Amino acid sequence: MHTRDRLVVWMAIGLVALSAFWALREPPASKPTASHSASPTLTPETIPLVTGDEPTVDIFARTGCAVCHVIPGIPGAIGRVGPPLVLGTTGIERLNDPTYHGNAESVHDYIVESVLEPQQFVVRGYPEHTMPSWYGSKLSALALEKIAAYLERQTEAELSP
Ligand code: HEC
């Protein structure tokens, strides 16, 4: 073989090797990060599993409820995205609302329903599709019980002006 031909062959091999190397080092295309959550920082991935053994204050803090809701007695729960969670006052109003078509028959059940299926009833004056709909996968039955038991006791009177 001619020296020049040999050079061409080696260059061709080099090119193939180089392109193979580039193809392999390219990471696989990242999957689209579609999120239906209104808050970009609050996704199921960022919320730890809550068993219910945690103190009630921690349950509200860890799950992010405090980011969007005012909750009496919970430090830092000053969110204004959703309504103040004073279901001891507002719960009965929701159940009696003619536009309420959910399945709850008690305030307790209404709270559980609101957390598991927020689309069932959207409180007037607040945005829909904003309250995350994935809490069912992050809260144990015990944690949900504690949340409902706490919130049904909170009343408007406990809100500081
Ligand atoms: C990203 C903001 C956001 C987060 C986080 C959030 N909520 Fe909400 N929530 C809302 C909005 C907005 C509404 C009102 C619209 C609706 O009814 O879906 C609402 C409604 C509710 C209601 C019905 C209140 C009423 O007056 O009828 C309850 C109960 C509730 N949320 C509980 C919770 C609990 C418990 C958590 C945490 C486990 C939580 N929310 C986390 C935004 C949020």
Side-chain angles (χ1 to χ4, degrees):
M1 220 190 261
H2 232 269
T3 335
R4 222 185 47 214
D5 290 348
R6 207 175 285 157
L7 195 71
V8 169
V9 168
W10 277 115
M11 271 170 67
I13 291 171
L15 262 173
V16 169
L18 204 72
S19 50
F21 172 74
W22 274 101
L24 287 174
R25 73 176 278 288
E26 204 65 46
S30 55
K31 56 180 175 173
T33 48
S35 170
H36 298 291
S37 161
S39 169
T41 52
L42 211 66
T43 65
E45 292 75 33
T46 59
I47 302 293
L49 205 78
V50 174
T51 64
D53 293 329
E54 304 85 352
T56 306
V57 174
D58 290 354
I59 294 179
F60 286 113
R62 293 178 62 160
T63 51
C65 317
V67 175
C68 291
H69 291 286
V70 167
I71 310 170
I74 305 297
I78 52 167
R80 301 267 171 196
V81 180
L85 297 182
V86 286
L87 280 299
T89 300
T90 53
I92 220 66
E93 294 168 19
R94 308 291 186 244
L95 293 173
N96 290 334
D97 192 309
T99 64
Y100 175 70
H101 299 299
N103 300 310
E105 286 178 355
S106 67
V107 171
H108 192 94
D109 290 351
Y110 170 75
I111 297 169
V112 172
E113 186 181 71
S114 296
V115 175
L116 295 181
E117 304 169 74
Q119 67 284 355
Q120 273 280 4
F121 179 76
V122 177
V123 180
R124 226 188 323 277
Y126 291 92
E128 55 180 337
H129 304 302
T130 302
M131 164 104 186
S133 53
W134 38 255
Y135 276 125
S137 65
K138 286 292 166 182
L139 298 165
S140 72
L142 178 60
L144 254 177
E145 261 316 292
K146 280 193 174 175
I147 286 174
Y150 184 85
L151 293 182
E152 70 180 336
R153 291 198 314 266
Q154 307 310 311
T155 65
E156 236 151 40
E158 278 144 303
L159 294 174
S160 41

